[in-house]
Amino acid sequence: MIGAPNALENTVLGLQAGVTSIGNVSHYFTYEYPGIELERERTVNSLVAFALMGKIPGTIIHSNLDDGYGNQMHDLANLVGWAMIERYLVEGLLGACMTFSYGNLFSDPVSRIVFNMAMDAGNTKGVPGTMTFGNTIDYGLDLSRNYGALSSFSLADAVCQRHKPTGHAVSAVPVSEAQRIPTPDEIVDAHLCIDMMIEKSQLLEPYMNWSAIEARRDVLVACGSVFFERVMNGLDDLGVDTRHAGEVFACLKSIGAAQLEEKFGVGRREKTALRGRVPVCPTDIVRTLQQRQTRIFSGMDASQQLTGMNVIVGSTDIHDYGKEMIKTLFLRTGAHVFDLGTYITAQEVVDNVIETECSVVAISTYNGIALSFGRELMRQLQEAGCHPFCIFGGLLNENRNGGLLAEDVSEELRTLGINCDNDMEKIVPAILRHFSKESGDAH
């Protein structure tokens, strides 16, 4: 896979096998490999692989934005600008052809269409798309509602392709995705559902308000261009050679999505807003988070405060929105929050618990390692003589004993002494009860 430490070898093998579309550029910026310290080699490998594909006609470099900074940015306008940056690096500096996929984090059907058209506006080479991924943020435990989400996003994607064909395949997400690894039959069922949506899309396409959609597209493209220019100018001010792909790639990865939005974002500055800016067009997941936060905070007991308490938050993988919600909750209740970011290790957590004397550790995890991470974390904490109150949230499952499907591991985590309520409204009361009990036991 391009973007990995062995990007060049992967690309050569893929090309030899007849593959013409290879990704994923976004992984370079966000995916990490614990225990492997080969950042320079990884960068060089990736750039050579990009340049190699630029020499082979008919090949396409693919970037799933939702696997990269698209997963971390709060404003779609900035994300459009980020895509312009990736395209500038891969096409402008390295001579390859590039396309983008997206969709995992897009709940609003119309936003999916608008974003696709914004991406196409910058596609001066006419490179065909790879796929639009399914919306996963609306999926939950209710399979009936999940079928509704599946129908909603696939119909929008099909309508978009009928109106302005970009070559993106409409990709299915099985309705059991939020619970476990789907079975083959469930994958087939999802595709059959999408087939019906594609068939019906021809009836809806003529009645869409395309003028309104194009107006929204134009706003994203204009604001994205501003973000692009701000980032390029900022790099230039830092002394980065913006014509040197390696320097730009490495520097942008070092800066990270959060700082890019904070420093160069196009949203209006406001201290109380996430990252200090009001998004021009908030991502669907940020909009959902804002709505959930408003509901939760409005119902909170004002007397339940964590004033002065030191708290660590972090995510075991790329998914950081759960972490951001918990972080905001802790800040609102007066805690001092130490954010370790994404792809954290148990050792990092322990080191920071010791350094900051944190009494609470809140971990978000979605990539099927909840139990193994929990065991390692609790083992290392015990060896270090640290006893913070540990909270895990997200998708608490893991594939155990060589089984085909991941299983819920909440009970095993509770046995380890980890709180697994997985409910934001219960977190602060649970922390207060824990330390109240500890105080009572001490007396």
Side-chain angles (χ1 to χ4, degrees), residues 58-180:
T59 60
I60 298 171
I61 294 176
H62 152 96
S63 183
N64 178 12
L65 293 169
D66 292 343
D67 274 348
Y69 283 174
N71 185 284
Q72 300 175 7
M73 286 187 167
H74 293 177
D75 193 334
L76 281 181
N78 295 333
L79 182 55
V80 169
W82 173 255
M84 293 176 181
I85 292 171
E86 285 195 9
R87 180 168 269 145
Y88 163 73
L89 294 172
V90 174
E91 291 191 345
L93 298 186
L94 297 171
C97 291
M98 187 173 194
T99 192
F100 297 96
S101 66
Y102 65 93
N104 295 137
L105 306 179
F106 286 75
S107 173
D108 177 1
V110 178
S111 289
R112 299 174 71 90
I113 298 174
V114 172
F115 191 79
N116 182 286
M117 295 178 72
M119 290 292 94
D120 190 57
N123 185 12
T124 57
K125 288 188 174 183
V127 181
T130 46
M131 66 197 78
T132 50
F133 287 106
N135 152 36
T136 55
I137 60 175
D138 285 344
Y139 278 31
L141 301 180
D142 186 336
L143 297 185
S144 299
R145 288 185 59 83
N146 294 352
Y147 269 112
L150 171 62
S151 301
S152 170
F153 75 71
S154 58
L155 180 59
D157 293 344
V159 167
C160 182
Q161 289 304 308
R162 286 193 182 277
H163 180 75
K164 185 70 170 67
T166 57
H168 288 84
V170 181
S171 179
V173 176
V175 294
S176 59
E177 177 87 4
Q179 302 176 14
R180 52 179 167 73

Side-chain angles (χ1 to χ4, degrees), residues 139 148 177 193 196 209 212 214 229 232 258 327 354 359 362 437:
Y139 278 31
E177 177 87 4
C193 178
M196 175 61 78
N209 186 346
E214 288 165 1
E229 291 298 334
M232 289 295 113
K327 178 180 177 179
I354 295 171
S359 51
K437 182 177 183 299

Side-chain angles (χ1 to χ4, degrees), residues 226-239 242 264:
V226 172
F227 180 81
F228 174 87
E229 291 298 334
R230 286 180 177 178
V231 172
M232 289 295 113
N233 290 336
L235 293 178
D236 188 59
D237 291 342
L238 290 171
T242 56
F264 308 116

Side-chain angles (χ1 to χ4, degrees), residues 183-242:
T183 65
D185 284 344
E186 289 167 341
I187 294 172
V188 172
D189 284 345
H191 282 282
L192 292 175
C193 178
I194 281 185
D195 282 348
M196 175 61 78
M197 295 301 104
I198 292 173
E199 180 182 325
K200 298 300 182 183
S201 64
Q202 60 185 322
L203 304 176
L204 182 61
E205 188 273 334
Y207 297 96
M208 296 288 291
N209 186 346
W210 293 108
S211 295
I213 289 173
E214 288 165 1
R216 287 181 58 184
R217 172 204 63 193
D218 293 344
V219 170
L220 288 184
V221 172
C223 291
S225 298
V226 172
F227 180 81
F228 174 87
E229 291 298 334
R230 286 180 177 178
V231 172
M232 289 295 113
N233 290 336
L235 293 178
D236 188 59
D237 291 342
L238 290 171
V240 176
D241 182 357
T242 56

Side-chain angles (χ1 to χ4, degrees), residues 245-258:
E247 283 192 32
V248 179
F249 262 93
C251 188
L252 290 173
K253 180 172 183 177
S254 178
I255 294 172

Side-chain angles (χ1 to χ4, degrees), residues 1-4 22-28 62-65 67 101:
M1 182 175 290
I2 281 184
I22 300 178
N24 186 335
V25 176
S26 288
H27 284 185
Y28 169 81
H62 152 96
S63 183
N64 178 12
L65 293 169
D67 274 348
S101 66

